[in-house]
Amino acid sequence: MSAETDLIKLYSQRILALAADIPRTGRLEAPDASVKKRSPLCGSTVTVDLRMEDGRVADYAQDVKACALGQAAASVVGGAIVGCTPQQIAEARDALRAMLKEDGPTPPAPFDDLEVLRPAQSYKNRHASILLTLDAAAEAAAQAQEAQSA
């Protein structure tokens, strides 16, 4: 198969549908933590705001300026993150990284829809954009948890 055919397969209908319908876009009025991440390679940026209650994400918003793959990842995260603990978010981030870089298992539920991004494994230049949202969310959740326990 040609590289062009592989790239067309990468942008499947499911990925494009996710990218077109990102939940929880925008910003929160009074977040417990806010983190902005940027991929230096492609320039994609994601800003994540979240509020925590009882050790779990109670509210979440994201401002996503990324390629379709980064948008698809943000879509899955936005639909799954409310109710999660900082540990679950960090585990999902680590699993997504391993899935992309080492052909590891799919991230655990509720983030298992990130499986749709498995075809991006061979496109290393896209990994940073795909990981942006979970990187920012994991950092924000850790910051919020730290602030609440201080």
Side-chain angles (χ1 to χ4, degrees):
M1 264 192 264
S2 73
E4 186 175 325
T5 304
D6 286 347
L7 196 58
I8 290 169
K9 278 179 46 182
L10 176 61
Y11 290 96
S12 70
Q13 287 300 108
R14 175 81 174 116
I15 286 174
L16 295 176
L18 284 167
D21 191 23
I22 302 171
R24 300 187 167 274
T25 56
R27 303 294 304 271
L28 293 183
E29 191 86 10
D32 291 330
S34 183
V35 172
K36 182 176 183 175
K37 293 279 184 182
R38 180 179 178 278
S39 169
L41 187 61
C42 66
S44 292
T45 60
V46 172
T47 303
V48 162
D49 296 333
L50 57 77
R51 276 201 318 271
M52 304 279 292
E53 284 178 22
D54 300 321
R56 295 186 176 276
V57 176
D59 201 2
Y60 176 86
Q62 56 190 351
D63 182 27
V64 181
K65 298 194 179 17
C67 66
L69 297 172
Q71 290 175 19
S75 185
V76 172
V77 172
I81 198 165
V82 171
C84 289
T85 65
Q87 181 178 345
Q88 286 175 298
I89 299 165
E91 287 170 359
R93 176 204 57 210
D94 296 346
L96 179 60
R97 182 173 283 115
M99 181 185 87
L100 291 172
K101 297 183 182 299
E102 304 156 16
D103 196 25
T106 301
F111 298 100
D112 48 339
D113 281 348
L114 290 167
E115 168 73 20
V116 72
L117 294 160
R118 189 174 289 278
Q121 288 172 323
S122 52
Y123 297 91
K124 294 184 186 332
N125 60 336
R126 302 288 205 274
H127 292 183
S129 180
I130 293 168
L131 288 162
L132 275 179
T133 301
L134 273 176
D135 281 343
E139 187 175 321
Q143 283 178 13
Q145 187 176 43
E146 207 174 279
Q148 288 181 348
S149 53

